[in-house]
Amino acid sequence: MTLMPDATSLLQTHYNHLMQHRRGDSNDDLIAKMYASWLCGQGAMPLNLGLPLDVFNSMMAYHFPTLPHFSRPSQLRHLDVGRLPELDDLRTLLHQSHSHPGPDVGWMVEILCAGCMGSDHLWQDLGLWSRKDLSRLMLDNFKPLAALNTNDMKWKKFLYKQMCEGEGIYVCRSPSCEVCVDYQACFGPEE
């Protein structure tokens, strides 16, 4: 994520403030990065990171129990309602492979679904700071699914490929990824 120096400073300030109030859970860092980015207008996350307000408040209270109040971003994005049917399939895929114990199950599923509605790389749409953050999110929260990404396919493409294969839909024309003309689009660098 490339930001202007002032924006980077504000992003870091929001992040540091949140981390002073963290619970100590493995997702605290990732949620703090997404929330700080959301406050700074980065990424493609909709209102409350895609969660209903009461659920968002519960998540923030769980991960940052001593945080006195939550700021709200000045620019609000909304989910594209025309794409809601695909969210059900994505939710099903993610719920089937959630591996993180505790209340994060539903929260991370919904946040990932909202991030998939963006038009950039998933880590950028989520407001994470690198693809490495997204890989950690996937491995920590969706380990059985993440383990299937043996060739390090871009995460959003990987998730949609898994949904298609689960439905018996094979849209790729190549016999294998390695000989596909679109190989770079699926496996190339994202930074």
Side-chain angles (χ1 to χ4, degrees), residues 23 31 41 54 61 109 114 117-118 123 136 139 144 153 169 181 191:
R23 168 178 291 283
I31 291 170
D54 61 327
V109 166
M117 298 295 101
W123 67 270
R136 185 164 48 97
L139 286 168
M153 183 180 238
I169 302 168
V181 296
E191 309 284 332

Side-chain angles (χ1 to χ4, degrees), residues 14-182:
H14 286 307
Y15 171 79
N16 291 341
H17 177 68
L18 286 165
M19 292 304 283
Q20 291 172 356
H21 300 279
R22 71 184 176 270
R23 168 178 291 283
D25 185 273
S26 62
N27 280 327
D28 294 350
D29 171 66
L30 299 167
I31 291 170
K33 287 176 178 177
M34 289 186 280
Y35 184 72
S37 295
W38 181 56
L39 288 175
C40 293
Q42 301 299 313
M45 295 304 287
L47 185 63
N48 304 318
L49 300 178
L51 300 169
L53 179 59
D54 61 327
V55 175
F56 174 77
N57 288 339
S58 294
M59 178 189 72
M60 294 300 287
Y62 177 81
H63 283 283
F64 310 102
T66 62
L67 187 67
H69 70 280
F70 313 135
S71 300
R72 300 281 186 223
S74 58
Q75 300 174 0
L76 298 178
R77 296 176 182 94
H78 298 280
L79 289 177
D80 178 357
V81 294
R83 295 183 65 191
L84 291 179
E86 73 190 64
L87 288 181
D88 290 335
D89 293 336
L90 189 53
R91 272 186 200 100
T92 299
L93 174 70
L94 293 170
H95 272 295
Q96 290 172 346
S97 66
H98 204 284
S99 58
H100 191 278
D104 281 338
V105 173
W107 301 334
M108 294 311 279
V109 166
E110 292 303 318
I111 290 170
L112 264 178
C113 287
C116 282
M117 298 295 101
S119 58
D120 214 334
H121 296 298
L122 183 53
W123 67 270
Q124 292 170 323
D125 289 336
L126 288 168
L128 291 169
W129 299 0
S130 71
R131 185 176 194 276
K132 185 178 176 181
D133 289 335
L134 177 56
S135 293
R136 185 164 48 97
L137 183 153
M138 294 299 296
L139 286 168
D140 287 353
N141 293 279
F142 307 98
K143 192 170 190 157
L145 182 62
L148 298 174
N149 191 0
T150 57
N151 292 323
D152 201 27
M153 183 180 238
K154 294 176 184 174
W155 284 111
K156 193 182 295 185
K157 289 186 179 293
F158 172 76
L159 291 172
Y160 279 83
K161 183 175 188 266
Q162 293 300 306
M163 285 189 329
C164 289
E165 288 178 359
E167 293 293 321
I169 302 168
Y170 300 94
V171 294
C172 297
R173 295 181 183 165
S174 294
S176 72
C177 291
E178 291 75 20
V179 297
C180 180
V181 296
D182 291 324

